[in-house]
Amino acid sequence: MLISLPKDQLSFCLDTVEKALPTHSSVQPIENILLECHGQWLTFTATNLEQDICVKIPNIHDSSGRILLPPKIVDIVRYLPAADVNIEISFDNYRIDIKSGQSNYVLYGADPTDFPLTRSEDDPESILSLEQADFKKILKKVVFAASTDESRPAFNGVLLYFKDSQISLTASDTYRLVVQDLINENWAFEEQRWLIPAKALRELLKIMGEEGEITISPKSKRVVFKFNQVYFATRVLEEKYPDVRGVIPTAFKTRILTERKLFEESVARAGLLAEGINQAIHFSIHDHRFEVKVSSQIGKMEESLQCTQEGEDVEVFVNAKFVMDILKVLEQKEILIDFHSKNGPLVFKIPGDDSYIYLVLPIKME
Amino acid sequence: MAQVERRVIFLADMESFYASVETARNPSLRGKPVAVCGDPALRHGIVLAASREAKAFGVKTGAPAWECRRLCPWIIFVKPHMQTYIDYSLQITRIFEQFTDRVVPYSIDEQFLDLTGSAHLFGGPRQAAAAIIEKIWEELGIRCRIGMGENPLQAKMACDCFAKRSPELFFELNHDNYAAHTWPLPIGDLFGVGHRMERNFHRMGVRTIGHLAALERQALKRLWGVNGELLWLNAHGIDYSIIETGAAAPQKGVGHTATLPRDYARPEEIEVVLFEMTEEVCFRARALGKMGCVVHVYCRGADFDYPTGFSRQKRLPEPSDTAAAVYPLVRRLFRLHWDGRPIRAVGISLSELVERRPVQLSLVNDRERREALNRAADRIRERFGKTSLFRAVSLTPGAQLFHSAGRIGGHEA
């Protein structure tokens, strides 16, 4: 069977499904990429048994069949010399001939019989559809706060809570917490919650485009995202997500408003001297002055920023990285921070926007 | 050319330390064969120390009680008093500190002294050693033997191989006489050569220290790596280590190991002991004001001839000094790595200690309340003893708390 298509298109398919290739697996077939040729379509699939990614593109070809492509093909296509690629596949002996410009490859494919296919044609209806660009922005503001430490599995997930006309996204690693609410009068959700592995969402962020819609279809233990020609399915976590929203304070003892960019640069400079697992830097707020300080075994520094202050003076120690994380993902000119004395949380907000909060617990010094 | 100052390193060793302390405490034992020995009913029924008089009958450290009785029917067994030995050892350190500020205890009955800068104050090294030996005999009634060298290795060799047999209880080795004195000695006398290594050497035809010294350094490195090279250096009296007082070095971890009173085969029993040891290790971390980042679990199989067991470690999600947070990981490591065979000894340690403060506060665990509870429990135990407040599991069969409380190193305090 002969396939010919532009290198860019093939490369897009392979780069996308590569995100689901397991780094090492005890199940041999899934280390490969499944290629299916049916009618007018080519479908590429990879799975690590937690996530499946599948890309389907229209293509004219002369016969149907299935084959496992060795994972090396991802790099091979990336480095091909010409803009067009011709692939000749023999489904009898799984031989793959790749021709591009003056370059000729022969690859040995494999029998696809044992490849686990979890994708089904009768996927449930999507419950939500959003612009990809919007969804990307939202995920970027949320996913970073989820934990990568596997000792508390629930915190490896991002909680999506649907109710009536609202969706709440929650992520936390027990030291900080993000809550993003989305409200749309046209929505009418049945109450439901899905705990999606943050790892999958990080991969999703990498492969999502800027244009077109993305749909979300949850079903028993899986959630499927569809966008462009991509089908992205992930297992959901079955752990119970602790009720962390209760820790968000309603009042504040100190509130400041300051310029985000200047603040970010200041924290970056202070962070250079922060050390150890705590990465502690010191914020001191008094008389409308916002001092950022750090003192460690390497040395010390201090600088001050302009801010408008409401409420009492406060001194607090906090992990520099946790502060950087939020300042990097926001785009607004200004940022609002509520303090709750020295051992209470810092709550970061976007001025004039109640739908997003980022809460960080401080470092207790004595 | 500038003369390099020769270093003056002493290794002071206490003769039959435990037995000597017992004799010093109870003069009626003087001149009699005495063996300090654990309870013969349990595993500790072996000789920890024998007096000179007992040794004359062939009683050796490590021999079982019944064997001593056979060698010397009128031998006097004394129960160990570990706390007293520690107190004596500290007193000896105090005496050494009157001669130099550079004293490093090597074991309970051996200490290194660096008198490079202070020996001349006492009329020279030989006179200083004599003064130390006399002072310890006068004040504590214990015979002290001193080996002198230009480095710790030479001092150790001088003490073990010569000073112990010398009438003046002192011997000096240096770079000039090291070969002449030590090379004729059997290879087993070399510091660092154990039974297994001795067998290896014998198989190669290396019977004396001199034979080893004559081999090529590279050949030993090829055979046994760094350790082989180290032995070659030992044979030549070369040792690059220096005497550092440990005061400046921070403690890296807290650990606890114990040999069980019998072999444990039931997982529930082993887990109870692991739990009790986790509590003990956490208590000690708290006493230092530290928290550990890494948990290490060690289990040794019961069968000596077929060594089994494991030694594994894992990082905690966050530093901790609480058994409630550490034990789940201990249990996970145990369940994952235990092969189901009976266990003879277990150990737990907490390492990569960090200060208790500052600490990153967390949303989920009620660390504050736990800390207050631990503090209260620690205070009660400090005042009324380890058995005044305990977990109910410590009443189950196999629990060691009531057995180990009041013991040091597995022996009575």
Side-chain angles (χ1 to χ4, degrees), chain A residues 13-31:
Chain A
C13 296
L14 294 171
D15 287 350
T16 303
V17 297
E18 188 200 14
K19 303 287 186 292
L21 275 181
T23 40
H24 38 75
S25 167
S26 51
V27 189
Q28 226 234 324
I30 70 165
E31 288 173 5

Side-chain angles (χ1 to χ4, degrees), chain A residues 149 151-152 155 172 174-175 177 247 277-278 319 322 343 359 361-366, chain B residues 293 315-319 332 354 356-365 367-368 371:
Chain A
D149 175 39
S151 60
R152 294 199 188 95
F155 290 105
S172 172
T174 75
Y175 307 121
L177 164 72
V247 302
I277 46 170
N278 287 323
N319 185 319
F322 293 173
N343 288 330
L359 178 147
L361 287 178
I363 294 161
K364 190 173 175 179
M365 297 306 283
E366 75 290 323
Chain B
C293 299
R315 186 166 286 274
L316 286 159
E318 57 191 6
R332 215 164 80 206
V354 295
R356 200 172 65 86
R357 294 282 186 269
V359 63
Q360 170 69 52
L361 296 175
S362 160
L363 291 169
V364 284
N365 64 20
R367 199 201 295 256
E368 301 289 302
E371 278 186 359

Side-chain angles (χ1 to χ4, degrees), chain B residues 317-335:
Chain B
E318 57 191 6
S320 180
D321 60 2
T322 314
V326 175
Y327 179 64
L329 196 57
V330 170
R331 193 175 53 191
R332 215 164 80 206
L333 284 170
F334 171 70
R335 291 188 176 170

Side-chain angles (χ1 to χ4, degrees), chain A residues 257 332 334 336 349-356:
Chain A
L257 183 69
Q332 284 72 13
E334 289 183 309
L336 201 75
K349 294 175 179 168
I350 301 164
D353 179 358
D354 291 338
S355 69
Y356 182 78

Side-chain angles (χ1 to χ4, degrees), chain A residues 87-204:
Chain A
I87 303 178
E88 168 116 51
I89 296 172
S90 157
F91 292 115
D92 311 327
N93 57 6
Y94 304 116
R95 177 187 157 119
I96 307 157
D97 284 273
I98 304 175
K99 288 190 171 56
S100 174
Q102 299 302 308
S103 180
N104 298 307
Y105 275 95
V106 176
L107 293 179
Y108 311 115
D111 179 0
T113 315
D114 292 331
F115 192 86
L117 207 56
T118 45
R119 189 181 76 240
S120 59
E121 290 308 318
D122 55 328
D123 269 323
E125 267 182 55
S126 69
I127 57 164
L128 177 66
S129 135
L130 289 167
E131 282 298 319
Q132 274 183 73
D134 293 344
F135 191 55
K136 226 170 150 171
K137 242 182 228 173
I138 292 162
L139 282 187
K140 266 191 192 158
K141 289 198 297 186
V142 175
V143 176
F144 73 89
S147 172
T148 48
D149 175 39
E150 284 169 12
S151 60
R152 294 199 188 95
F155 290 105
N156 296 144
V158 173
L159 182 73
L160 269 65
Y161 174 71
F162 296 82
K163 197 187 178 193
D164 304 330
S165 59
Q166 186 173 339
I167 309 170
S168 293
L169 293 90
T170 309
S172 172
D173 62 1
T174 75
Y175 307 121
R176 59 223 177 117
L177 164 72
V178 166
V179 178
Q180 165 82 67
D181 291 333
L182 307 173
I183 300 172
N184 187 325
E185 293 309 321
N186 301 325
W187 291 338
F189 297 115
E190 277 178 43
E191 185 176 6
Q192 52 191 299
R193 55 188 84 219
W194 301 96
L195 188 55
I196 303 174
K199 206 159 87 188
L201 295 177
R202 289 190 189 102
E203 298 301 340
L204 185 63

